[in-house]
Amino acid sequence: MADLVWKSRGRTGRSMRTLRVRTSAVLVALIALAVLMVPPLAQLDQQAVDLSMKLRPPSWAHPFGTDDVGRDLLLRCVYGLRVSLLVGLVAALVATVIGTAVGAAAGALGGWTDRLVMRAVDTLSSIPHLLLGVFIVAMFRPGVWPVLVSVALTHWLSTARIVRAEVLSLRSRPFVDAAVSGGASRLRVTVRHLVPAVLPQAGLAAVLMIPHAMWHESALSFLGLGLPAHQASLGNLVQTARGSLLAGDWWPTLFPGLLLIVPTLAIAGLAGAWRDRLNPRRRSELTL
């Protein structure tokens, strides 16, 4: 009887994980389609001002309603999501490359180099990401590229730690000992054996970094330090809608907020499935 209960719980857990992964995949696909298809199909100018349509609630003509100057909020949100995804993807890729290079070098070289690099990582990690990002962005004019640089330079630290820990674990593996015994140099062992072995973990870290980078960009734009106020950004839309929310108009705040939360949950669901696939022992422990 206990065995039947255990198997039932295992099947239930697997079915729930499958449902979560499928739901996350559908949401990611819908987000990609919205970003790619809505702007050309809408045939509307996201900057078109129509004061006669100011703060209209959601309707068939404007599914997300209009903002405080009569612009279509659906189109503005999609353009803002496009910018946030661009920042998230590019910044996550750059940060992952930097973190993988630093972590692999620290783990492969070891000794005083490892200690020096990790102390530098610890020092930078002690500074809040947002504060450091504000400092970097403040040196440039508002725009996409300063935000990209800011997010990329503040989000590689966790990847460096993950890669370093994995490289230290791999250094004691038999295939590394065999390569060293065969006369391979430290650089060759790192490039040919250690770095390819840590790429799955680095890729997972990059996927998990995308929603974090999106929130970081939105926070900078909300503070007025990210994208210019006239350019659609989820952070700018939320910041502009604060006055409307106090007046009882909920839609200018709700929909940009949802377009931040939904991609975060969808990407986290897919990343969780990837993590379980990379670490089947952890998955079996969760099933038990």
Side-chain angles (χ1 to χ4, degrees):
M1 184 66 179
D3 187 49
L4 292 176
V5 172
W6 181 86
K7 289 182 179 179
S8 176
R9 289 178 179 175
R11 286 195 296 268
T12 302
R14 285 192 295 271
S15 63
M16 290 299 295
R17 284 195 300 273
T18 302
L19 177 62
R20 184 182 69 232
V21 171
R22 290 178 178 176
T23 303
S24 300
V26 169
L27 289 175
V28 170
L30 290 175
I31 291 167
L33 286 175
V35 168
L36 294 174
M37 302 302 296
V38 168
L41 293 178
Q43 299 296 322
L44 294 173
D45 182 5
Q46 59 144 337
Q47 299 287 4
V49 174
D50 185 2
L51 294 179
S52 64
M53 297 294 293
K54 175 182 177 180
L55 289 176
R56 295 294 179 90
S59 62
W60 286 110
H62 302 282
F64 284 10
T66 60
D67 63 8
D68 57 345
V69 291
R71 293 173 296 193
D72 182 74
L73 197 57
L74 172 60
L75 199 58
R76 297 276 293 170
C77 286
V78 170
Y79 272 100
L81 180 61
R82 174 184 287 185
V83 172
S84 295
L85 284 175
L86 171 65
V87 172
L89 288 170
V90 177
L93 178 61
V94 174
T96 300
V97 171
I98 296 174
T100 301
V102 172
L109 294 175
W112 66 267
T113 303
D114 181 28
R115 292 192 294 271
L116 181 63
V117 170
M118 296 317 296
R119 293 299 77 75
V121 170
D122 293 338
T123 302
L124 291 175
S125 297
S126 66
I127 306 173
H129 285 175
L130 185 58
L131 181 61
L132 188 58
V134 167
F135 175 76
I136 296 173
V137 170
M139 296 188 296
F140 304 93
R141 291 183 177 180
V144 174
W145 289 108
V147 175
L148 277 172
V149 172
S150 169
V151 176
L153 293 181
T154 56
H155 285 71
W156 59 270
L157 304 171
S158 59
T159 304
R161 283 201 180 98
I162 293 170
V163 171
R164 171 187 175 268
E166 191 67 21
V167 168
L168 290 177
S169 173
L170 291 170
R171 284 174 56 180
S172 60
R173 300 288 179 87
F175 71 92
V176 175
D177 292 337
V180 173
S181 301
S185 64
R186 181 174 296 181
L187 178 61
R188 182 177 178 83
V189 170
T190 302
V191 174
R192 294 292 301 272
H193 300 284
L194 297 180
V195 172
V198 302
L199 285 181
Q201 287 78 10
L204 177 59
V207 172
L208 289 171
M209 201 183 302
I210 293 173
H212 192 185
M214 292 174 59
W215 282 88
H216 197 101
E217 177 274 324
S218 298
L220 290 173
S221 297
F222 182 83
L223 294 173
L225 297 169
L227 273 67
H230 69 275
Q231 188 170 354
S233 165
L234 296 179
N236 281 341
L237 293 176
V238 174
Q239 196 276 338
T240 305
R242 289 186 303 166
S244 303
L245 182 63
L246 294 175
D249 301 321
W250 48 269
W251 56 91
T253 304
L254 175 65
F255 292 112
L258 286 178
L259 288 184
L260 271 176
I261 295 172
V262 171
T264 299
L265 296 177
I267 294 173
L270 293 179
W274 188 356
R275 182 180 59 235
D276 293 342
R277 188 175 292 274
L278 286 177
N279 193 349
R281 180 179 179 182
R282 177 182 181 276
R283 180 176 56 189
S284 64
E285 290 172 350
L286 289 177
T287 303
L288 289 174

